[in-house]
Amino acid sequence: MYKNKRFLAIIPARSGSKGLKDKNIKQLNGKPMIAYTIEAAIKSDIFDDTIVSTDFQIYADIAINYGAVVPFLRPDYLSTDEATTNDVVEYTIKELEKTGKQYDYFMILQPTSPLRQAEDILGAVELLFEKNANSVVSVCESEHSPLYMNTLDKTLSLKGFLPKDIKTRRQELPKYYRLNGAIYLCKVDYFLKYKDLYKENSYAYIMEKTRSIDIDDEYDFKVAECILNNEL
């Protein structure tokens, strides 16, 4: 089905972090967090190349040790808080093209989703071809319905906080889904044309909640540790 297509895995791993210091290489149950994503990508056996995009040689050395490739370090302008993942993807694809490497599809695999498995990667690829899609992005069921959410002003008043016609039984509410940050799969030519993964013919790949932890702070990190230790 897709054996004649070329796939690129891009694992963005900028050094430093405001929420959790050096989270991408923080030791999670005995190995750097980024190692889980590299290992899942390699185990899926779908990628022609698994590239880690980083700005720091220590990160690069760790990535190489776990089987990824780091053909170059990011330039300074892609190492700031303002740099977007789209910028990093475009730069990576174009730099690899200069070396003669071209791909039909790329997948962004964020190291902050260490519980994503190889079967999730393959499931997203299967959905891509099943739907003849331009892109597939992973989601999971939302923990809380947005119907029970609203903004608050300085007075903290709850007047009008909930819609008057909202159903109070959770079982009667529609299911809502959120992006979980684990998988972003896209056609290379589509991305380079639109710089957008959601413009047209884009589909959701639904993942289990337990594989959808997106580590941003110490709490998320502890939850991931518990899941890996089968404590939850």
Side-chain angles (χ1 to χ4, degrees):
M1 178 173 62
Y2 45 78
K3 297 303 181 183
N4 61 335
K5 302 295 184 182
R6 289 182 57 81
F7 286 81
L8 169 67
I10 301 176
I11 302 173
R14 185 171 65 88
S15 63
S17 171
K18 292 180 179 179
L20 187 62
K21 182 176 173 57
D22 289 325
K23 63 182 177 183
N24 288 325
I25 60 169
K26 185 176 174 66
Q27 289 289 310
L28 176 62
N29 280 28
K31 58 185 174 184
M33 186 159 64
I34 193 174
Y36 292 89
T37 292
I38 295 171
E39 289 172 347
I42 293 172
K43 185 179 178 181
S44 74
D45 199 30
I46 188 68
F47 299 109
D48 294 271
D49 291 298
T50 298
I51 301 291
V52 168
S53 170
T54 185
D55 58 333
F56 197 31
Q57 189 60 49
I58 291 176
Y59 280 44
D61 292 342
I62 291 171
I64 292 168
N65 186 52
Y66 281 93
V69 177
V70 186
F72 42 75
L73 295 180
R74 289 189 200 179
D76 291 342
Y77 76 93
L78 289 178
S79 304
T80 66
D81 291 337
E82 290 72 32
T84 68
T85 301
N86 280 2
D87 294 334
V88 171
V89 169
E90 182 178 12
Y91 175 83
T92 301
I93 290 172
K94 290 185 175 179
E95 285 299 301
L96 290 171
E97 282 181 350
K98 293 178 183 178
T99 67
K101 289 183 174 290
Q102 293 189 322
Y103 307 88
D104 299 289
Y105 301 92
F106 70 87
M107 185 181 287
I108 304 167
L109 297 169
Q110 299 190 125
T112 47
S113 297
L115 305 185
R116 169 222 309 105
Q117 301 294 310
E119 49 261 47
D120 295 312
I121 292 171
L122 292 172
V125 173
E126 288 172 6
L127 181 64
L128 179 89
F129 285 93
E130 176 188 322
K131 297 289 190 180
N132 192 24
N134 288 322
S135 65
V136 167
V137 178
S138 61
V139 302
C140 67
E141 188 176 344
S142 180
E143 291 81 0
H144 305 287
S145 172
L147 297 176
Y148 284 106
M149 301 178 190
N150 208 331
T151 57
L152 286 171
D153 61 22
K154 293 180 181 179
T155 70
L156 305 182
S157 171
L158 287 174
K159 182 179 180 181
F161 188 83
L162 296 179
K164 291 182 179 180
D165 59 348
I166 190 172
K167 295 178 180 179
T168 56
R169 295 182 70 248
R170 180 178 58 83
Q171 296 87 342
E172 296 177 356
L173 295 173
K175 284 186 178 181
Y176 282 83
Y177 296 86
R178 63 172 178 83
L179 300 178
N180 70 354
I183 293 172
Y184 300 86
L185 172 60
C186 191
K187 285 182 178 178
V188 169
D189 56 0
Y190 170 84
F191 174 79
L192 293 177
K193 181 178 180 180
Y194 294 110
K195 309 297 189 295
D196 190 337
L197 273 67
Y198 312 95
K199 191 173 180 65
E200 58 188 29
N201 204 22
S202 178
Y203 292 89
Y205 173 72
I206 300 174
M207 284 176 55
E208 296 178 13
K209 284 185 182 180
T210 54
R211 294 181 178 181
S212 296
I213 301 296
D214 185 6
I215 297 176
D216 188 52
D217 54 27
E218 190 68 34
Y219 173 80
D220 300 330
F221 190 85
K222 292 296 185 184
V223 172
E225 278 188 322
C226 289
I227 294 174
L228 285 169
N229 286 323
N230 295 316
E231 294 178 7
L232 291 179

